[in-house]
Amino acid sequence: MSNGRNRGRKGDSGRDPGGFVALPWAVLDCPAYAALSHPARSLLMELARQYVRDNNGRLLASRAYLATRGWTSADVIQRAKIELLAAGFIHETVKGQRPNRASWYAITWQALDRLDGYDAGAAATFVRSAYKKNAPLCPSGGTERPPIAPSHGTGDPCSVPSHGTIRPSFEPSPVPSHGHHLEMPSAVHRTKH
């Protein structure tokens, strides 16, 4: 297949041979992707690596499959899956069951392929580009740094506290002048009794 750009190269496509991951810039540049942990980003790449035209909905993230790709921690895999599901980058089409039924997933930047074996309602709840709806919220005032000066400015400091002058207390202190009554040496206690 020639597209006109490679006519003078004869066999050189300009990249290494084999398949590739098609990951849109809209995914990589969205705030939800920026908020992902590194393990979640890595797992997303593993799932995107499995996608080939007609299997979106049958992607695996099981420990057994990922062990062949170098993943060693079931806990890290589980946390990354939960994070990707919550952020809307993947959708679970089949809930796995022990001992030997793995969960299936779909990436949400591609259309869900209509395949047999999905759990009831899984296709109906799939939302294309769900990660765009789950972007982290920013404060309405923006994300710039707050001022470090007091709200009333940096003019001459007041000689009196803002709430007025300090009033002295003339009530007797509950602590004896020679120390706290519970800290008295035991010899003093014996002599008083």
Side-chain angles (χ1 to χ4, degrees), residues 87-169:
F89 287 101
I90 63 173
H91 177 76
E92 190 172 48
T93 57
V94 173
K95 186 75 168 171
Q97 296 175 356
R98 290 184 179 205
N100 57 2
R101 185 176 179 197
S103 294
W104 291 353
Y105 298 93
I107 51 178
T108 61
W109 64 87
Q110 293 287 349
L112 180 66
D113 292 314
R114 302 298 176 190
L115 304 169
D116 293 332
Y118 292 159
D119 287 345
T125 58
F126 177 82
V127 177
R128 177 98 187 268
S129 301
Y131 60 90
K132 290 181 180 179
K133 296 168 184 72
N134 292 326
L137 299 175
C138 292
S140 59
T143 57
E144 63 274 350
R145 299 182 89 189
I148 59 171
S151 59
H152 59 274
T154 57
D156 292 333
C158 297
S159 58
V160 178
S162 60
H163 57 278
T165 57
I166 299 173
R167 306 214 185 270
S169 173

Side-chain angles (χ1 to χ4, degrees), residues 24-132:
W25 288 358
V27 173
L28 296 173
D29 294 341
C30 78
Y33 182 82
L36 290 176
S37 66
H38 290 289
R41 290 180 186 189
S42 296
L43 182 59
L44 187 62
M45 289 300 292
E46 293 290 348
L47 291 164
R49 160 64 180 89
Q50 296 174 49
Y51 173 68
V52 286
R53 281 192 306 267
D54 61 355
N55 69 337
N56 195 24
R58 280 198 181 159
L59 309 177
L60 297 174
S62 66
R63 187 181 188 293
Y65 172 77
L66 291 173
T68 65
R69 306 276 303 158
W71 291 73
T72 58
S73 172
D75 184 52
V76 170
I77 294 168
Q78 184 62 26
R79 282 184 287 148
K81 277 193 287 191
I82 290 169
E83 191 175 344
L84 290 174
L85 286 165
F89 287 101
I90 63 173
H91 177 76
E92 190 172 48
T93 57
V94 173
K95 186 75 168 171
Q97 296 175 356
R98 290 184 179 205
N100 57 2
R101 185 176 179 197
S103 294
W104 291 353
Y105 298 93
I107 51 178
T108 61
W109 64 87
Q110 293 287 349
L112 180 66
D113 292 314
R114 302 298 176 190
L115 304 169
D116 293 332
Y118 292 159
D119 287 345
T125 58
F126 177 82
V127 177
R128 177 98 187 268
S129 301
Y131 60 90
K132 290 181 180 179

